[in-house]
Amino acid sequence: MSKLPGPVPGAKPKLTLPYLPSDSLHAAILSRLPAWYQQQQQQQRHGARPRARSKSKILPPGVDNITNLQTSFSLWDGVRQLQRRNYTIWDLQYVFLAALSLFSLWISPPAPTIKLLAVMGSLWILLMPATGQFFRPSMMIWIWLLYFFSSRFIPYDYRPHIWVRVLPALENVLYGANLSNILSAHQHPILDILAWLPYGIIHFAAPLACSIAMFIFAAPGTTPVFAKAFGWMSILGVTIQLCFPCTPPWYENEHGLTPAEYGMPGSPAGLARLDAIFGFDLYTSNFTNAPLPFGAFPSLHAANAVLEALFMSHCFPQFRVAFSLYAAWVWWATMYLSHHYAVDLVGGGLIAAIFFYYARARYLPRRQEGKLLRWDYEFVETGHAAELFDEERDATYFRAGQLSQRRESSSDGWTLGSGSSWTSGSGTLSPTTPDPNSESFEAQAGWYAKPEPREIELSEVFSR
């Protein structure tokens, strides 16, 4: 074996360091970055899919599992699905829905045979896989309709006080005027028709139209999330209207601020002008006998429009402006027809926004670029993903100015060493890594470049 060359007499001692491997340099720089970014970079280097900073999940891949529909009409297949189901605490919502359904049937007029047939038919439809796949997600909507129309039979003795002055006072405090009266002061048949279209026609057809559009063109699983959010939001809205009954603008226009009593008829308000235009009773009788004539707050017309606009904007962002204009159209129509105050609209819109953003964060499938139909999806990711940094923006995190900022703790599993590899005073790198403040750092210490070996004076090492 050959001997290593010794020091040359009379020459200054030098310490020759081999080039720093790219992996070591990579880890050294990562040790100064946040822990979540270190984990993301390590996953990318090992070929793993970067994880988003959210409670998202990826459903099992396979077109047959996420796009195909169930075709079995066997009741026992549905029973077996229930037996194989992994139940969680969230399944208690179905217990609540069952109790709400029984309560609605109990307070409604006695018809035991019809009620029994309705319950048995509903269970049959829900258990059959071919029909249950559509009716189970929309169960909340059907129960809300039963709850809404049955609420008229709640005894008056158990109902709270009707608030007449609260909404007008809030209107004046928040906006300085009664916006509903201002918008309805100038009436015209053309304006009546423009208000009637969203309030009296599109409002009732929009949920079905949105569901069909999302079922065909959005990611698989979007429509069930929309149906559940729509149903629960409507149930909450009716509950608030029952617990906090308030008079709408038409009551102030017809009765002033005199106290209201249960049993008083409702009013079609501006929709009566549409009946006069068309020449037949389309709204007068229905709104006069409305189940909740004093359910002004919150406005479910406004809540439905906002929820539909948010879900459709999520699925079809290129039409976001059109959906926003539709929601504004509905809001204007409700005030022009004297059915709601502006504060009712804001309350309904806030409730809709809460339900949407919660659903998007936990359950709503993400939209994938280049996918036109539901059958184009091979996998589905649910939950809201935080924005991941692409390779072009990664460079902004590796400037010398960013690296020179001291971290309080670098004891992460991805770091090259302990936090002691950074000096406590100046925050500069130790001799084992290149100096990021040097002019040749970018050229010598790229992510995948191998810097040339260089000699370091011993005196230079100890002077650091």
Side-chain angles (χ1 to χ4, degrees), residues 35-49:
W36 65 265
Y37 195 81
Q38 298 176 29
Q39 183 177 4
Q40 175 187 331
Q41 291 296 323
Q42 288 292 335
Q43 290 173 345
Q44 290 179 346
R45 294 176 62 204
H46 291 288
R49 184 181 183 88

Side-chain angles (χ1 to χ4, degrees), residues 111-128:
T113 303
I114 297 177
K115 294 179 181 179
L116 180 61
L117 292 177
V119 172
M120 294 179 60
S122 301
L123 292 177
W124 190 281
I125 292 176
L126 293 174
L127 287 177
M128 285 190 301

Side-chain angles (χ1 to χ4, degrees), residues 377-398:
Y377 284 77
E378 298 179 355
F379 65 93
V380 173
E381 295 174 291
T382 62
H384 177 58
E387 184 178 13
L388 297 178
F389 300 103
D390 54 28
E391 294 181 358
E392 295 179 359
R393 284 180 290 178
D394 282 345
T396 61
Y397 281 81
F398 308 135

